[in-house]
Amino acid sequence: MSETTQSTWTAESVAAELIRCEDERVDRESFSDDWPDLDVATAYQIQDLTLAKRLARGGQIVGVKLGLTSKAKQQTMSVDSPIVAWLTDGMVLPTEGPAKVSDFIHPRVEPELVVTLKADLRGPGVTPAQALDAVGSVLAGVEVIDSRYRNFRFTHQDVVADNASSGAYVTGTVAKTVPEVDLALEAVLVEVDGAVVDTATGAAIMGHPAEALAAAANMLGARGITMEAGWVVLLGAMTDAVPVQAGTTLAFHYTNLGSIYLSWED
Ligand code: OOG
Ligand code: MG
């Protein structure tokens, strides 16, 4: 008999458990302890199964998000490679009124640069310049991340399976084109209750946000998936995420892309 304990988890049961945690707003231990052999390819299969469950409930794909594209995020989360995950229409944060802490498990909020695509992008082999050619508009964005894992403690495989801690997102109202904004130089100030707690420029995202867009096209291309015209793409947080509670007011001020405000209540 081998001493390795065989995991009783399957891709399907992990996907079902992640969606249950999201629905019931409960966290759980990560899977990698129970399933040490869980590999990245299987983790993406799990992610795709969670997408299938969202689509079966009537959700629609609106695009993708990148995760862990900045050093700040990689160091804090102890995962050093970028990942890609699905965005569906149910993840759009209502802009009327404050966000509700009770809609999430343990929300954290982070500033993003966002693009929409005007042309399909299919990897592998997409360069940052080719990626930029497919961009329709550039927007500010704010993402609410909400890991299904206790204390946001996870491995690369765990967080891939968990759709990169997807929660909700909102985009700003100022839309620019690529020639109008220097994406690497576009800065953000993160304010919590009126005090600046962090700042970064777009260069925090893999040296240039176009690198992240190309990486998304190439990671998806390796799985046979084309990024489609019309998709929204969150390029990954420029700074660490801010944990929020009822009463917190956040403001994200961008150099050229406007400001996004988000208040929180119970
Ligand atoms: C993983 C999701 C990371 C980003 O923008 O880097 C992410 C996490 O930090 O829980 O969305
Ligand atoms: Mg993010």
Side-chain angles (χ1 to χ4, degrees):
M1 281 273 293
S2 134
E3 286 185 21
T4 331
T5 22
Q6 187 61 47
S7 170
T8 53
W9 290 104
T10 61
E12 178 53 40
S13 64
V14 169
E17 174 66 358
L18 287 166
I19 294 288
R20 183 191 70 83
C21 288
E22 184 174 330
D23 287 347
E24 297 179 9
R25 307 189 198 331
V26 292
D27 61 15
R28 55 158 294 117
E29 290 306 323
S30 58
F31 294 101
S32 48
D33 295 340
D34 275 359
W35 189 351
D37 301 335
L38 174 61
D39 58 22
V40 175
T42 308
Y44 275 109
Q45 271 170 26
I46 295 168
Q47 187 193 104
D48 287 347
L49 289 169
T50 64
L51 171 69
K53 292 179 193 300
R54 295 179 208 282
L55 300 181
R57 293 172 174 185
Q60 305 233 344
I61 295 172
V62 294
V64 290
K65 57 168 281 183
L66 283 124
L68 307 166
T69 49
S70 65
K71 281 272 173 333
K73 291 286 307 184
Q74 291 177 354
Q75 278 163 5
T76 303
M77 310 321 283
S78 304
V79 174
D80 61 7
S81 22
I83 61 182
V84 64
W86 295 105
L87 293 177
T88 54
D89 55 354
M91 297 173 191
V92 177
L93 195 68
T95 46
E96 299 299 310
K100 285 184 179 299
V101 174
S102 55
D103 284 344
F104 299 92
I105 304 166
H106 45 192
R108 297 183 183 180
V109 186
E110 54 189 29
E112 305 261 345
L113 288 172
V114 182
V115 294
T116 60
L117 298 185
K118 64 179 182 196
D120 289 0
L121 265 181
R122 184 180 181 105
V126 172
T127 65
Q130 288 167 341
L132 280 185
D133 283 343
V135 170
S137 51
V138 176
L139 305 153
V142 164
E143 187 182 19
V144 182
I145 52 169
D146 200 30
S147 177
R148 268 50 69 175
Y149 304 123
R150 200 152 300 146
N151 301 320
F152 280 74
R153 209 195 116 258
F154 45 65
T155 63
H156 181 204
Q157 288 89 325
D158 287 315
V159 66
V160 166
D162 189 27
N163 202 42
S165 309
S166 64
Y169 74 94
V170 61
T171 52
T173 51
V174 179
K176 301 269 186 191
T177 59
V178 167
E180 289 172 332
V181 193
D182 186 331
L183 278 170
L185 273 174
E186 182 70 12
V188 64
L189 301 188
V190 179
E191 278 181 17
V192 179
D193 300 326
V196 176
V197 299
D198 216 336
T199 68
T201 65
I205 303 170
M206 298 176 73
H208 194 294
E211 295 278 353
L213 185 58
N218 293 330
M219 284 189 279
L220 289 161
R223 287 154 58 206
I225 300 164
T226 300
M227 295 179 84
E228 293 175 19
W231 278 14
V232 173
V233 185
L234 270 57
L235 296 170
M238 300 152 80
T239 68
D240 273 326
V242 178
V244 291
Q245 50 206 358
T248 306
T249 298
L250 302 175
F252 298 88
H253 303 293
Y254 287 78
T255 319
N256 299 290
L257 299 173
S259 294
I260 297 179
Y261 298 89
L262 196 58
S263 302
W264 288 85
E265 64 177 24
D266 284 333

